[in-house]
Amino acid sequence: IHTASDIWVSLSVIVSLIAIKFGFYWVDTVLSFGIALYFGYAAYTIIKDNVMVLTDGAFLDVEKIKNLALKEHGVISCHRVRTRGTTSNAYVDLHIQVAPETTTMMSHRLGHNIETRIKKEFPGIIEVLVHLETFPADHDADRTESSLR
């Protein structure tokens, strides 16, 4: 957009100078108005493309990310999914709950597997941060892992 605006301004100045030399003074006003409209359009485009980044808005499908995490055996629930950045330079944070008896090694492996799944599904992700939490031990023991999803 920046280079294009430079080209349009330069061309309008050249055309305006030629038009003024031949007595067409109104051409300068018309071209100036056109350039102002173009700058307005460029500003709108820049704001529209970056407002989600500036407000830290989710631009990736959060439900799809949750479902990818829940595919891993041992993940009881997934919540607090947050995405930020741009589509070509994205970051994902999420929380998963595992059973209290899950070992540190198994939890670590779950985190890596989830990261791999998400990066494979969404190209352009730079980092996936998986926060591990233990599922409350006093929770209703009759509920199965599949019913918690």
Side-chain angles (χ1 to χ4, degrees):
I1 290 180
H2 180 73
T3 303
S5 65
D6 286 345
I7 291 170
W8 286 115
V9 168
S10 298
L11 285 174
S12 72
V13 168
I14 292 169
V15 170
S16 290
L17 289 173
I18 293 170
I20 289 170
K21 181 161 177 78
F22 290 105
F24 299 105
Y25 301 103
W26 57 270
V27 171
D28 186 47
T29 304
V30 171
L31 289 176
S32 297
F33 184 71
I35 293 298
L37 286 176
Y38 179 77
F39 282 162
Y41 169 75
Y44 168 76
T45 303
I46 291 168
I47 290 169
K48 180 182 64 105
D49 292 345
N50 291 293
V51 75
M52 291 298 282
V53 174
L54 296 172
T55 59
D56 223 13
F59 61 93
L60 297 175
D61 186 351
V62 172
E63 286 303 315
K64 191 171 186 179
I65 292 171
K66 284 182 181 181
N67 289 333
L68 288 171
L70 290 171
K71 284 183 180 179
E72 280 299 317
H73 180 71
V75 175
I76 296 172
S77 73
C78 177
H79 58 280
R80 294 184 64 187
V81 177
R82 187 175 84 142
T83 66
R84 61 192 185 286
T86 62
T87 54
S88 62
N89 191 17
Y91 296 85
V92 177
D93 296 342
L94 61 109
H95 291 239
I96 61 168
Q97 288 184 320
V98 297
E101 61 272 5
T102 306
T103 65
T104 303
M105 186 184 335
M106 185 59 186
S107 296
H108 191 72
R109 188 173 298 130
L110 281 173
H112 277 290
N113 291 348
I114 291 169
E115 178 182 2
T116 301
R117 278 182 193 263
I118 292 172
K119 283 184 173 180
K120 184 177 179 182
E121 187 69 28
F122 297 98
I125 291 184
I126 302 300
E127 180 181 59
V128 177
L129 184 58
V130 180
H131 301 272
L132 294 161
E133 303 169 353
T134 57
F135 198 72
D138 60 347
H139 195 270
D140 184 7
D142 293 334
R143 294 181 70 184
T144 64
E145 182 178 319
S146 60
S147 69
L148 293 173
R149 294 185 187 165

